[in-house]
Amino acid sequence: MPANLPPQYFDVEKQYREAKDPEEKLVYLQQLLSIIPKHKGTEKLQADLKTRMKKIKETLVKQKKTKGSGGTWYQVEKQGAGQIVLVGLPNSGKSALVSVMTNANVEVADYPFTTQLPGVGMMEYQNIKIQIVDTPPLHADAPPWLFGLYRNGDILLFVLDGTHDVIEQFDMIRTALSEHNIYIEKHEYGDVKKTIIAVAKCDQGKTETAIQKLKSVYGDTFVYLQVSIVQDSTLTRIRDTIYQELNIIRIYTKKIGQSIQKQEPVVLPRGSTVIDAAEHIHKDFKKNLKFARLWNDKGYSGQRVEKQHILADEDVLEFHI
Ligand SMILES: Nc1nc2c(ncn2[C@@H]2O[C@H](COP(=O)(O)OP(=O)(O)OP(=O)(O)O)[C@@H](O)[C@H]2O)c(=O)[nH]1
Ligand SMILES: [Mg+2]
């Protein structure tokens, strides 16, 4: 046993030994792998953990084949100003992106099928938090609950590996989604899921060419971005795009006689009105609201506005009931 393992390794190892369910064991093995320092002295241990993970995965696949499609159904409850769900084939760079954009401690590794369960992180954006959901890879034998996660998201963020054929990846994802009645383009059968296309690992491949290709095939229906976990400017752009595409506004409220404090905004869909904001805060507010006063940097400094007035990002409201 190598000497320099951190104490938390032994805590997780104990949990691993005590776990009965193979899926649970797999989660602990992944954690162990992410905890151990990566150097020559731990190579044997890393290999041993990977072998154990491989065996459990094989058992799970066999069990699934014999048991059918039953089993645990994973879902992620929405938190914050919006939920962004990542979609991508194995090893495309999903977890790496989640780990640099949020506080989540997800495992990133240079082999496919690293992520087995959803991972959740919150991305801080100015004064709000946006939920980012890491997902297991999409593949022919993907669990049905994965599509449930996609369906629940406010936005799907496709993570395509820029070092491989992006058109092929995009088509595989699009086909799998439509087979599960999730549509990313205008369609006669139902809602369209808002989608951002990120071509990942742009420090490694010719992603500019990849984006040109995607644009020439699919046009301007989607927002395309190049991204790299080692290029901060690309991460800033993706964060800004996520915020813009959520189509939300932040509204601050103040009590009569108090000063304006732009701290904890109420988050509403773009196009919301004064009465929508009132309802969001309290049902009674909606019933009893007479009017509101509005402050912003677009010329309002406490003027009276009516219930149907359409709000803008960073408006400050004072309700009069
Ligand atoms: N150079 C470079 N490597 C990256 C980048 N993003 C991810 N990688 C590498 O790509 C490999 C796969 O990354 P992951 O984030 O684990 O991929 P994933 O899509 O979560 O994989 P699964 O969980 O198997 O679906 C790892 O070795 C990462 O370090 C990037 O922007 N640049
Ligand atoms: Mg992953």
Side-chain angles (χ1 to χ4, degrees):
M1 180 71 66
N4 58 350
L5 292 172
Q8 81 205 90
Y9 180 93
F10 300 99
D11 296 339
V12 178
E13 196 189 36
K14 185 165 176 281
Q15 288 172 304
Y16 162 73
R17 271 188 273 112
E18 288 170 359
K20 297 207 168 53
D21 181 16
E23 277 175 341
E24 209 184 332
K25 276 193 182 293
L26 196 58
V27 172
Y28 290 127
L29 283 173
Q30 280 170 348
Q31 283 183 25
L32 289 174
L33 199 58
S34 66
I35 292 168
I36 46 173
K38 310 284 184 292
H39 56 69
K40 238 184 154 43
T42 62
E43 267 175 10
K44 206 164 159 288
L45 181 58
Q46 289 184 54
D48 174 53
L49 291 173
K50 284 179 192 170
T51 312
R52 277 191 262 170
M53 283 167 69
K54 193 163 165 254
K55 277 194 186 140
I56 293 183
K57 282 177 195 170
E58 282 166 4
T59 320
L60 286 173
V61 171
K62 268 189 216 144
Q63 277 179 359
K64 208 170 143 206
K65 281 192 179 138
T66 51
K67 273 204 286 183
S69 60
T72 316
W73 188 275
Y74 297 96
Q75 53 189 2
V76 176
E77 200 184 318
K78 281 189 188 180
Q79 276 183 333
Q83 187 186 67
I84 315 301
V85 179
L86 270 59
V87 184
L89 304 187
N91 216 40
S92 68
K94 300 176 291 300
S95 303
L97 209 49
V98 172
S99 87
V100 291
M101 294 204 314
T102 73
N103 57 350
N105 188 11
V106 292
E107 195 195 346
V108 175
D110 58 358
Y111 53 86
F113 299 99
T114 306
T115 306
Q116 295 282 317
L117 298 172
V120 185
M122 298 306 286
M123 176 179 95
E124 303 216 358
Y125 187 84
Q126 298 178 10
N127 53 359
I128 59 169
K129 287 192 171 74
I130 297 169
Q131 188 182 42
I132 314 281
V133 181
D134 186 19
T135 55
L138 182 57
H139 63 109
D141 213 14
W145 53 260
L146 184 58
F147 296 93
L149 289 182
Y150 297 159
R151 206 167 281 122
N152 197 41
D154 296 312
I155 293 181
L156 295 180
L157 173 59
F158 283 16
V159 182
L160 308 179
D161 186 338
T163 63
H164 290 88
D165 185 339
V166 287
I167 303 282
E168 194 180 12
Q169 293 172 67
F170 188 101
D171 280 340
M172 282 171 78
I173 295 173
R174 188 170 62 159
T175 307
L177 293 183
S178 67
E179 280 170 4
H180 289 81
N181 303 318
I182 300 169
Y183 299 102
I184 57 169
E185 289 150 299
K186 232 181 171 165
H187 209 277
E188 58 187 300
Y189 301 122
D191 297 343
V192 175
K193 190 60 93 177
K194 188 168 268 189
T195 306
I196 300 172
I197 316 288
V199 178
K201 310 185 189 179
C202 72
D203 55 296
Q204 296 244 305
K206 291 194 179 120
T207 46
E208 189 55 58
T209 325
I211 288 187
Q212 291 311 327
K213 257 195 227 163
L214 285 166
K215 275 191 185 160
S216 69
V217 179
Y218 306 107
D220 291 330
T221 321
F222 308 103
V223 184
Y224 305 97
L225 293 166
Q226 302 184 65
V227 67
S228 161
I229 53 166
V230 293
Q231 291 177 359
D232 282 348
S233 60
T234 68
L235 298 173
T236 305
R237 213 172 312 134
I238 202 163
R239 291 156 65 89
D240 290 341
T241 306
I242 286 172
Y243 177 70
Q244 280 154 20
E245 293 296 311
L246 272 175
N247 241 333
I248 49 180
I249 52 170
R250 294 161 296 169
I251 303 299
Y252 308 96
T253 56
K254 73 181 263 316
K255 294 206 173 90
I256 298 170
Q258 280 185 356
S259 61
I260 293 172
Q261 300 219 347
K262 290 189 171 183
Q263 272 158 1
E264 280 180 34
V266 170
V267 175
L268 297 169
R270 193 171 286 284
S272 295
T273 58
V274 168
I275 195 78
D276 294 330
E279 182 177 25
H280 187 89
I281 291 160
H282 206 289
K283 279 212 163 54
D284 286 352
F285 253 52
K286 184 185 178 186
K287 213 166 59 194
N288 302 326
L289 183 74
K290 292 202 180 75
F291 66 93
R293 292 195 184 279
L294 175 65
W295 285 258
N296 61 24
D297 57 8
K298 298 168 199 81
Y300 280 85
S301 51
Q303 285 92 328
R304 179 181 167 138
V305 285
E306 301 307 321
K307 294 177 187 178
Q308 297 311 325
H309 178 88
I310 293 177
L311 297 167
D313 191 29
E314 304 234 76
D315 275 357
V316 180
L317 284 177
E318 180 185 87
F319 292 115
H320 289 252
I321 51 174

